[in-house]
């Protein structure tokens, strides 16, 4: 996951990526960095094709006020 940092915010981001009914995969983008890798588990019954996902990004404004943004994504599942 790659972020475009707004203004002068240089703190860490917490990322949560949810696919289907699987538990969310999480990662942290460290302070001063712009990206991190999130490893997901694809549902066992997923068929090849498009799979909906929800990404949630949380930052701490002024170091203590959580600010959250959520977005939808489409992942592509390949065949075996």
């Amino acid at each position: 996951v790659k972020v475009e940092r707004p203004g002068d915010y240089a703190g860490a981001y917490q990322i949560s990526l949810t696919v289907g009914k699987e538990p969310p995969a999480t990662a942290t983008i460290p302070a001063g960095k712009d990206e991190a890798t999130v490893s997901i588990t694809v549902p066992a019954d997923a068929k090849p094709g498009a799979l909906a996902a929800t990404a949630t990004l949380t930052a701490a404004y002024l170091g203590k006020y959580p600010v959250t943004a959520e977005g939808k994504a489409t992942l592509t599942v390949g065949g075996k």
Side-chain angles (χ1 to χ4, degrees):
V1 173
K2 188 169 187 173
V3 296
E4 193 171 308
R5 291 181 172 275
D8 61 354
Y9 180 73
Y13 287 105
Q14 301 300 316
I15 299 168
S16 175
L17 186 62
T18 304
V19 179
K21 295 181 181 178
E22 298 294 323
T26 60
T28 300
I29 297 177
K33 302 291 182 183
D34 294 330
E35 62 186 312
T37 299
V38 181
S39 297
I40 63 168
T41 299
V42 176
D45 61 349
K47 301 199 177 358
L51 187 63
T54 301
T56 304
L57 183 72
T58 303
Y61 178 68
L62 298 177
K64 59 183 174 180
Y65 303 106
V67 177
T68 302
E70 185 175 283
K72 303 294 181 186
T74 301
L75 308 177
T76 302
V77 177
K80 292 183 180 180

